[in-house]
Amino acid sequence: MAGAIVGGNVELIFEDLVYGSALDGESVALKWLEANNKTLGHFINGQWVHPEVRQTVESRKPTGEILAVTLEATSSDIYEAVSSSSQAFSTWSSLSPDVRSRYLYSIARNLQKHQSLIAVVEAIDAGKPTRETKNVDIPAIIRQFYHFAGWAQLRDKEMIGWKPYGVVAVLPDGTFPLMQLASRAAPALAMGNTVVVMPSTKTRLSALLFAQVCAQAGLPKGVLNVVTGSSIDALITNPEVKKVAFSGSVSSGKKVRTLTAGLGKSLSLELSGWSPILVFEDADLDSAVEGITEAAFFNNGQSNHAGSRLLIQEPVYNSLIKKLELKISKLTVGDNLEKNNDQGPLTDPQVVSQLEALVQSAQSEGGKVYRPDASAPNNQNYFPPTLITGIQTSSQAYLEEVSGPLLVAVPFRTVKEGLVLANHSVYGTSASLWTENISVALEAASQLQVATVWVNTQNIFDAASGVGGNKSSGFGRSGGKECLYEYVQPSWLNVPSGANITVDMKKFGATVKADPLPGTQVSGSQDNQPSIDKTYKLFYGGGQKRPDSGASIPALSHKGEVLGYVPDGGRKDIRNAVEVAVKAASSWGRKEGHGKAQIMYYIAENLQSRQRELVQLLVASTGQAESEAVQEVETAIQRLFYWAAYCDKYGGSLQETPFYGYTVLQHEPVGVVGIVCPEKFPFLGFISLIAPAIARGNAVIAVPSEKYPLAALSFHQILETSDVPGGVVNIMTGDKNVLTKSLAEHHDVNALWYFGSAEGSKFVEAASAGNLKRTWVSYDVERDFLSPEQGQGEDLLYHSTSCKNIWLPMGDIFAN
């Protein structure tokens, strides 16, 4: 809290208890800019690059003053940066863990040496209060490189079976420019990748300074390059870029997902979205007020984790609002270099107008708007901390996500109702909850559909603990061991570039390939056994169902003979299956691991008793030797036992952070997972994919091999006799493209695994932009499911789970 500057009378200071001015100097930052003639180029291959005849952009303070001139990258500039990183990759990735660790340690040490300069540059460029950049941001950035220097040292031991991607494109947004850069660059470099950074258009300076500091630390040329530009397309679509780590708005994230679809690139998205704060009736209200203020107004309210939705239990609603209004009345807005100011200017003047529009909308609906009496400076980029009460959850001010110091409060009655309101959102970055009841805290934290939960605290981050998003707030993690998987791929895998893949998004899966005409009768089996002429049906919700179309399609043998007819499922059938899967996912995900394991062991037992029947189906369908079919079924049984063992052995861990308390990593189910199975290994592939998914608590909608579906479709008989709850495993047959399209576009499908054509892979990735579901596609690269490395690898666990970190403070007995 700041106040008016007090004149020389000391007695008045003790009487008024107001702070005098404490202005941070910007001279050190201006000196750095002047040393570069206030004209900054790209930083490529360890040096400044100033190509001729380039458009320039003025980097300004959010208040408008010009700081420097930066360049607009052309495609040739981006090509040069990517080529430099690509050439450096072979050397960097082959370094010993010890050497690579020392480089990251050197970066951390050099960041420490220059932290005052970096903090001021970050503040004047982004409008962040220097109090925050000096005390929070820069120490956290240094911590990133110390922490991941350790993971670089341990990579060959802790990440066995994984290899780096190559060139990683890092695109931070303008709210935490350097923090987001460091939290992606550090683990990427630790795992042996090289990095090309394209900072946000509005906050370029600190990224360029960071690259210079890395070069001073001795980082080899080309390992980290920075190019400045307004268009990211040329960077993220460059064939040499194998991984894209993007942070920004949800709308921008959807564009990135669409642009990279089909290109064979790994993608992680950390996107924005309002975060709920839940205050229960037994909370310490004074502590809650401090946490709410931190949640809503830290970094000018510009954060992917800003707590902009305040949910208060009715018995304490009025008293908490009064306390909160008093707190807000003391907040001050002004020069961000003034240490006593709580809030500086926003990065983008457009955001100010959007926030003001939401305020006016709330007032027109009868909402009450509370702001500090002291007005913000007369500048277009300032917006005062604002509280809105008295509106409904259907109001625009409640629903719309705008990054800024705007807090909306609504009451709720019961804890269950509060959780429903908190989860009733397409976003899912973080949440905080306030209660003195530890039982309520833990149960509520487990039910919140977010990646990070703070209990009786707010905005605690550390390099040893991952953050990220769920639902439309993206996927992937930054921080902790969990984030290392964002920058590695299985050692055996080589994904081809998808630059030449073309797919008609409107026509893909719009119609079935052909209308089946009446053909020959179902063929008989060998050894004078009865013909396989049973009526197959779809299997969902725990029972057999006729397809909505009422039609069936022939399942042919390897000789072209009709072995049977299977249901021709379609869009309506997928909708029905998703509906039952959503219901099943909640209870199955909460079921204890031991109980899930017993059911999976039972499935394996029942499968073994029907092994002969399935072997015959595989031989008749595929034409493979009986010994090969026996091996496929026996391996499938082994897979069920293997994943049953993981039902109660991958729940999470305790993160080792400097936080005084417990930081708990919980591996949660993803939710409803669609799985489009490969043609090769039609039964083993089916089992190898659904088993880890259900072992970790997901509900599955599986589309078996289109060419050889009978063995997988017959599996429903085993499910029906193995105590599997209805809706946990659902099996759909029909045109593969039609079913894939329906799964990819369905908003209640949380993830889609596609093992099929390159065209189908591209479609799945592009269509997933609708709700930003997680995708895992094969680009027609065959996987040897008989191999333990490929058929039961750690990547299956990674794709079957979502990481949540819960922060539980201590300190009632001993202070930290």
Side-chain angles (χ1 to χ4, degrees):
M1 176 181 69
I5 299 176
V6 177
N9 191 329
V10 176
E11 292 181 1
L12 288 178
I13 296 176
F14 287 102
E15 204 172 293
D16 296 339
L17 294 178
V18 294
Y19 296 137
S21 177
L23 195 65
D24 263 318
E26 59 183 16
S27 60
V28 63
L30 297 178
K31 186 176 180 180
W32 172 70
L33 293 172
E34 288 165 0
N36 289 280
N37 298 317
K38 294 190 175 182
T39 302
L40 300 175
H42 310 304
F43 202 88
I44 300 175
N45 214 35
Q47 61 187 357
W48 292 108
V49 176
H50 295 270
E52 296 181 354
V53 194
R54 293 290 187 271
Q55 291 184 355
T56 58
V57 171
E58 293 175 339
S59 283
R60 296 173 177 265
K61 291 183 179 180
T63 49
E65 297 96 322
I66 297 175
L67 293 169
V69 173
T70 56
L71 299 181
E72 274 295 287
T74 64
S75 57
S76 62
D77 297 336
I78 292 171
Y79 177 82
E80 181 183 353
V82 174
S83 297
S84 170
S85 288
S86 183
Q87 291 170 19
F89 171 68
S90 59
T91 303
W92 177 252
S93 61
S94 62
L95 292 176
S96 70
D98 179 64
V99 172
R100 199 160 42 241
S101 175
R102 291 188 184 197
Y103 277 119
L104 267 68
Y105 179 82
S106 179
I107 292 173
R109 294 291 289 171
N110 274 269
L111 288 170
Q112 277 185 309
K113 294 174 186 177
H114 299 292
Q115 58 185 312
S116 295
L117 167 63
I118 299 169
V120 177
V121 170
E122 184 85 328
I124 63 175
D125 194 28
K128 299 165 68 70
T130 51
R131 185 181 63 205
E132 294 177 5
T133 60
K134 286 187 173 183
N135 297 334
V136 180
D137 292 22
I138 307 309
I141 291 160
I142 295 166
R143 161 75 172 148
Q144 291 282 339
F145 281 91
Y146 277 130
H147 180 76
F148 286 104
W151 281 117
Q153 182 75 52
L154 300 173
R155 195 200 80 169
D156 289 359
K157 182 179 184 299
E158 294 290 333
M159 301 298 289
I160 297 172
W162 299 88
K163 65 180 181 181
Y165 280 106
V167 179
V168 175
V170 173
L171 299 106
D173 73 8
T175 58
F176 285 87
L178 204 49
M179 179 90 78
Q180 291 177 348
L181 188 165
S183 64
R184 290 153 180 77
L189 294 173
M191 293 298 99
N193 302 278
T194 53
V195 173
V196 177
V197 179
M198 182 176 281
S200 168
T201 304
K202 294 181 174 60
T203 52
R204 298 177 169 185
L205 301 184
S206 59
L208 293 166
L209 173 58
F210 172 79
Q212 190 176 12
V213 171
C214 288
Q216 180 184 317
L219 191 68
K221 294 180 178 180
V223 173
L224 184 138
N225 296 304
V226 176
V227 290
T228 55
S230 302
S231 175
I232 65 175
D233 297 19
L235 176 58
I236 66 176
T237 59
N238 187 297
E240 291 296 318
V241 171
K242 303 301 182 183
K243 165 76 183 187
V244 175
F246 176 84
S247 181
S249 67
V250 173
S251 59
S252 297
K254 290 182 177 182
K255 291 177 183 176
V256 171
R257 169 71 284 181
T258 303
L259 279 170
T260 57
L263 298 181
K265 302 178 189 297
S266 172
L267 176 65
S268 57
L269 299 172
E270 185 176 333
L271 308 178
S272 53
W274 59 258
S275 298
I277 308 166
L278 291 102
V279 181
F280 299 126
E281 60 183 338
D282 62 347
D284 178 340
L285 298 188
D286 292 323
S287 295
V289 166
E290 297 300 319
I292 293 164
T293 306
E294 173 77 7
F297 307 127
F298 174 75
N299 193 45
N300 302 331
Q302 299 175 115
S303 168
N304 292 344
H305 303 276
S308 53
R309 299 299 179 269
L310 176 57
L311 308 175
I312 309 170
Q313 200 160 9
E314 282 184 348
V316 295
Y317 179 84
N318 291 330
S319 56
L320 181 61
I321 292 297
K322 288 180 181 178
K323 288 176 179 287
L324 189 57
E325 288 177 346
L326 178 62
K327 176 68 176 180
I328 292 174
S329 72
K330 306 298 183 181
L331 301 178
T332 58
V333 182
D335 188 345
N336 60 302
L337 297 182
E338 169 61 68
K339 293 179 182 178
N340 293 322
N341 279 335
D342 299 288
Q343 192 176 296
L346 303 189
T347 307
D348 189 346
Q350 258 191 328
V351 172
V352 176
S353 59
Q354 291 170 350
L355 291 169
E356 194 57 53
L358 291 181
V359 169
Q360 293 176 8
S361 171
Q363 288 175 323
S364 68
E365 296 173 356
K368 177 186 174 184
V369 175
Y370 186 85
R371 289 172 169 171
D373 292 334
S375 60
N378 187 21
N379 184 285
Q380 62 178 351
N381 280 45
Y382 286 98
F383 189 87
T386 303
L387 171 66
I388 296 176
T389 57
I391 61 172
Q392 303 298 316
T393 55
S394 57
S395 298
Q396 184 183 8
Y398 181 88
L399 295 173
E400 193 164 331
E401 179 261 318
V402 178
S403 182
L406 181 64
L407 177 63
V408 180
V410 296
F412 65 87
R413 289 165 293 186
T414 65
V415 173
K416 282 186 178 180
E417 183 185 15
L419 291 172
V420 169
L421 287 173
N423 289 330
H424 188 64
S425 168
V426 297
Y427 307 117
T429 56
S430 57
S432 65
L433 53 91
W434 298 81
T435 175
E436 293 298 290
N437 187 325
I438 187 63
S439 177
V440 170
L442 291 173
E443 189 172 6
S446 71
Q447 296 303 307
L448 287 166
Q449 297 168 2
V450 295
T452 303
V453 180
W454 295 288
V455 177
N456 293 334
T457 187
Q458 182 71 42
N459 284 355
I460 307 296
F461 302 99
D462 185 67
S465 180
V467 296
N470 283 346
K471 299 188 282 189
S472 288
S473 291
F475 43 81
R477 295 291 181 264
S478 297
K481 184 180 180 180
E482 54 264 42
C483 89
L484 299 182
Y485 296 100
E486 302 298 324
Y487 301 101
V488 291
Q489 59 185 325
S491 298
W492 61 268
L493 181 62
N494 289 298
V495 178
S497 171
N500 298 320
I501 300 173
T502 58
V503 58
D504 190 325
M505 294 296 294
K506 292 184 178 179
K507 292 184 179 179
F508 183 92
T511 57
V512 296
K513 297 182 182 72
D515 293 322
L517 299 175
T520 59
Q521 67 182 38
V522 175
S523 64
S525 298
Q526 298 176 352
D527 303 325
N528 296 319
Q529 294 297 316
S531 62
I532 306 172
D533 60 354
K534 66 168 289 185
T535 302
Y536 288 92
K537 295 179 183 178
L538 301 172
F539 182 77
Y540 60 86
Q544 300 178 66
K545 306 289 193 304
R546 295 185 184 277
D548 181 64
S549 66
S552 297
I553 51 179
L556 305 178
S557 72
H558 64 288
K559 297 179 180 179
E561 300 170 326
V562 178
L563 294 178
Y565 285 86
V566 298
D568 185 15
R571 191 176 190 87
K572 178 64 164 61
D573 302 303
I574 290 292
R575 288 204 301 266
N576 293 341
V578 171
E579 184 178 349
V580 297
V582 168
K583 293 178 181 178
S586 177
S587 57
W588 181 250
R590 290 198 303 269
K591 188 175 180 64
E592 76 284 358
H594 174 72
K596 289 196 287 280
Q598 294 305 302
I599 290 174
M600 291 191 69
Y601 287 131
Y602 197 13
I603 294 172
E605 292 172 14
N606 287 331
L607 174 57
Q608 189 171 39
S609 68
R610 304 191 64 157
Q611 181 173 354
R612 180 62 184 167
E613 174 190 340
L614 288 165
V615 167
Q616 288 181 334
L617 274 175
L618 287 172
V619 170
S621 298
T622 66
Q624 62 185 301
E626 183 170 333
S627 60
E628 294 175 339
V630 168
Q631 184 183 20
E632 183 168 344
V633 177
E634 287 182 346
T635 306
I637 296 169
Q638 180 269 326
R639 286 286 144 76
L640 287 165
F641 268 76
Y642 179 85
W643 290 113
Y646 265 106
C647 284
D648 58 0
K649 297 177 182 64
Y650 198 67
S653 61
L654 196 64
Q655 307 277 47
E656 296 190 72
T657 71
F659 176 68
Y660 186 57
Y662 291 112
T663 309
V664 180
L665 167 64
Q666 182 178 355
H667 285 129
E668 294 188 321
V670 177
V672 176
V673 179
I675 303 178
V676 182
C677 300
E679 297 300 321
K680 193 174 181 181
F681 301 108
F683 186 68
L684 176 58
F686 169 79
I687 295 296
S688 296
L689 292 171
I690 69 167
I694 64 173
R696 293 312 313 158
N698 301 283
V700 167
I701 300 169
V703 178
S705 163
E706 183 177 16
K707 194 173 182 181
Y708 308 120
L710 293 185
L713 198 55
S714 297
F715 187 68
H716 78 83
Q717 297 174 341
I718 295 169
L719 294 171
E720 288 176 318
T721 57
S722 302
D723 297 336
V724 180
V728 172
V729 178
N730 308 279
I731 307 172
M732 314 296 290
T733 58
D735 187 293
K736 189 174 189 174
N737 289 352
V738 170
L739 299 174
T740 296
K741 176 181 173 68
S742 300
L743 287 168
E745 293 178 345
H746 202 300
H747 283 209
D748 284 336
V749 174
N750 305 110
L752 180 54
W753 305 352
Y754 178 86
F755 292 81
S757 68
E759 294 77 15
S761 298
K762 179 174 183 176
F763 176 86
V764 165
E765 289 186 328
S768 72
N771 73 336
L772 291 171
K773 60 171 60 69
R774 287 173 61 175
T775 60
W776 182 22
V777 300
S778 69
Y779 289 100
D780 209 21
V781 175
E782 288 189 350
R783 179 177 285 244
D784 181 7
F785 282 96
L786 288 170
S787 159
E789 180 185 31
Q790 299 183 32
Q792 60 183 37
E794 193 176 7
D795 55 337
L796 286 154
L797 271 177
Y798 166 76
H799 288 287
S800 296
T801 56
S802 178
C803 295
K804 174 191 285 183
N805 279 287
I806 303 172
W807 297 74
L808 299 161
M810 298 187 299
D812 284 349
I813 303 173
F814 302 103
N816 184 11

